[in-house]
């Protein structure tokens, strides 16, 4: 009788349980490897495929794991039988003890009938730990129409291959939910070599933070997490461009050889009080002469400093050398040559 009971008990243990019920009986804290959420981020890409993005956690404090396999079933709005099933793996081939890894799994077809998904963690294996001899660091982070991020990857004391840098985005949920992953393949690196990388990514508007990490065939890296910066194109507004004389009077007529003071009104605003410190900027006034192929006649610059939110004036002097029709275009960049304002209004002037 005891043998029969034991066999039944073991059979129940090895039967697969759908992810919609797994949350009720097997919490993440009780499993050595677990999906961090049974409600991951799901979206349709530009080609109509359904993409599932989430994280898997290794809750074991002693052992790394590899060969993590996740099954995603895609359903219609009312269907109980999957339209299709896809198996995928974690982004990191080795997840360190108490570490996490993203996963990205896409439907086989761009099926418009897909309305819901279910997840199931199918398999994983114990693995030797990869030494954390890679170091990632950021050197510049800028949000304009896209997120531009530059940084460096430093290798340890041995040659490596298949090095890749990953950039993961998270929303404001508590705990944060992974909503996107990008990567840059680096390839082979010599011992103690350092190489730079640059991401230029269109990101989901819900993203509030990001995490950078790397892995190679033998090494892993630190995980560097930062907040997504304020969108810089909303930082400064150029509201006016006025050609004036040296006394500040608006010019009704402009003659070649005379001084033209190109002046603009700038207004800076910050999204929160933490960004109300001093901000250095560079104002450019570009003058192009009209023609079949316009060319730049003059490019003047003015260096200034914003001390908190508010308005100020920037100006440069230009001396036109010959008559003609000219276009004045103003720009404002930071000292790292990143635009922090949309291009200002274009002014057309005639030089006699």
């Amino acid at each position: 009788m005891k043998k029969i009971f034991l066999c039944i008990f073991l059979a129940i243990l090895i039967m697969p349980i759908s992810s919609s019920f797994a949350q009720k009986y097997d919490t993440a804290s009780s499993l050595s490897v677990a999906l961090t959420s049974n409600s991951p981020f799901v979206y349709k890409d530009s080609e109509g495929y359904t993409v599932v993005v989430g994280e898997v956690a290794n809750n074991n404090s002693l052992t790394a794991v590899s060969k993590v396999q996740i099954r995603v079933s895609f359903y219609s709005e009312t269907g109980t039988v999957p339209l299709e099933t896809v198996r995928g793996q974690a982004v990191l081939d080795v997840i360190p003890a108490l570490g996490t890894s993203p996963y990205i799994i896409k439907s086989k077809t761009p099926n418009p009938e897909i309305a819901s998904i279910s997840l199931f963690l199918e398999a994983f294996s114990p693995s030797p730990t990869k030494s954390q001899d890679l170091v990632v660091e950021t050197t510049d982070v800028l949000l304009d129409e896209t997120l531009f991020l530059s940084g460096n990857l430093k290798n340890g004391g041995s040659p490596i291959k298949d090095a890749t840098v990953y950039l993961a985005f998270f929303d404001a949920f508590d705990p944060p939910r992974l909503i996107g992953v990008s990567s840059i393949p680096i390839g082979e690196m010599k011992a103690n070599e350092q190489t730079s990388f640059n991401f230029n990514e269109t990101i989901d508007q819900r993203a509030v933070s990001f995490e950078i990490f790397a892995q190679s065939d033998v090494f892993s890296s630190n995980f560097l997490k930062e907040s997504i910066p304020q969108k810089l194109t909303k930082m400064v507004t150029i509201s006016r461009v006025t050609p004036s004389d040296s006394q500040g009077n608006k010019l009704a007529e402009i003659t070649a050889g005379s001084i033209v003071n190109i002046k603009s009104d700038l207004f800076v605003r910050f999204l929160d009080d933490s960004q109300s410190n001093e901000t250095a900027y560079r104002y450019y006034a570009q003058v192009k002469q009209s023609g079949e192929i316009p060319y730049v006649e003059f490019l003047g610059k003015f260096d200034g400093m914003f001390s908190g939110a508010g308005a100020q004036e920037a100006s440069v002097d230009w001396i036109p050398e010959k008559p003609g029709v000219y276009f004045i275009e103003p720009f404002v960049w930071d000292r790292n040559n990143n635009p922090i304002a949309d291009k200002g209004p274009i002014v057309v002037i005639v030089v006699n």
Side-chain angles (χ1 to χ4, degrees):
M1 183 67 182
K2 289 183 178 179
K3 288 184 178 180
I4 295 173
F5 176 80
L6 181 59
C7 289
I8 294 173
F9 178 71
L10 290 174
I12 292 172
L13 281 182
I14 63 174
M15 285 177 62
I17 303 171
S18 74
S19 62
S20 59
F21 295 99
Q23 189 82 347
K24 296 181 180 179
Y25 301 107
D26 294 319
T27 62
S29 61
S30 68
L31 298 171
S32 59
V33 178
L35 302 172
T36 59
S37 172
N38 283 319
S39 300
F41 186 65
V42 182
Y43 67 95
K44 297 276 190 180
D45 68 11
S46 59
E47 297 178 337
Y49 290 86
T50 302
V51 183
V52 182
V53 184
E55 284 187 293
V56 59
N58 177 13
N59 297 313
N60 193 307
S61 61
L62 301 175
T63 306
V65 295
S66 64
K67 300 178 181 177
V68 176
Q69 184 167 285
I70 301 154
R71 185 182 73 211
V72 179
S73 296
F74 298 87
Y75 297 87
S76 65
E77 187 171 359
T78 58
T80 56
V81 177
L83 297 172
E84 56 187 69
T85 298
V86 178
R87 287 173 173 82
Q89 294 185 332
V91 167
L92 296 181
D93 57 341
V94 175
I95 306 176
L98 300 179
T100 61
S101 171
Y103 63 82
I104 308 170
I105 301 175
K106 187 167 74 170
S107 61
K108 295 177 182 177
T109 61
N111 191 338
E113 297 296 319
I114 294 175
S116 63
I117 61 103
S118 68
L119 296 169
F120 184 70
L121 179 63
E122 284 195 325
F124 60 89
S125 301
S127 172
T129 300
K130 289 190 176 183
S131 176
Q132 194 180 106
D133 282 6
L134 297 175
V135 177
V136 290
E137 62 180 11
T138 58
T139 56
D140 196 17
V141 182
L142 167 69
L143 181 62
D144 194 345
E145 297 306 315
T146 58
L147 179 77
F148 176 80
L149 184 151
S150 60
N152 295 316
L153 175 64
K154 299 177 182 178
N155 186 25
S158 300
I160 60 173
K161 59 183 180 180
D162 300 330
T164 303
V165 180
Y166 298 94
L167 174 61
F169 297 101
F170 297 86
D171 63 14
F173 277 50
D174 188 15
R177 182 178 58 164
L178 180 72
I179 60 174
V181 181
S182 300
S183 63
I184 294 178
I186 302 297
E188 296 182 356
M189 294 182 68
K190 298 176 182 178
N192 301 312
E193 181 183 355
Q194 176 175 302
T195 187
S196 61
F197 57 84
N198 295 287
F199 287 93
N200 191 8
E201 302 292 326
T202 300
I203 63 174
D204 190 283
Q205 62 181 359
R206 286 163 285 197
V208 298
S209 64
F210 63 86
E211 190 171 59
I212 307 173
F213 53 95
Q215 189 168 249
S216 73
D217 59 330
V218 291
F219 294 153
S220 63
S221 79
N222 57 313
F223 284 72
L224 182 62
K225 194 161 190 175
E226 296 185 21
S227 297
I228 290 178
Q230 162 190 350
K231 188 173 182 181
L232 292 180
T233 52
K234 293 184 177 180
M235 192 174 178
V236 177
T237 301
I238 306 172
S239 62
R240 182 176 60 90
V241 180
T242 305
S244 306
D245 61 21
S246 57
Q247 304 301 316
N249 301 310
K250 186 175 179 179
L251 290 172
E253 294 184 358
I254 299 174
T255 57
S258 63
I259 296 176
V260 179
N261 181 252
I262 303 171
K263 185 165 44 180
S264 290
D265 290 333
L266 310 178
F267 183 80
V268 62
R269 57 187 180 276
F270 298 92
L271 296 184
D272 56 60
D273 292 339
S274 66
Q275 295 172 311
S276 60
N277 55 343
E278 291 188 339
T279 302
Y281 72 90
R282 179 163 289 164
Y283 168 81
Y284 289 98
Q286 178 175 265
V287 181
K288 291 181 179 178
Q289 185 170 17
S290 176
E292 184 175 346
I293 303 177
Y295 68 92
V296 177
E297 171 75 16
F298 171 79
L299 181 64
K301 66 180 181 180
F302 170 86
D303 289 332
M305 182 78 70
F306 293 117
S307 298
Q312 64 175 265
E313 196 174 75
S315 65
V316 297
D317 288 336
W318 168 52
I319 300 177
E321 297 180 354
K322 54 186 177 182
V325 178
Y326 295 88
F327 301 89
I328 301 175
E329 300 173 313
F331 305 85
V332 177
W333 290 12
D334 66 15
R335 296 295 175 83
N336 294 318
N337 292 325
N338 298 311
I340 56 174
D342 292 326
K343 185 171 68 174
I346 299 174
V347 173
V348 179
I349 60 172
V350 178
V351 176
N352 300 314

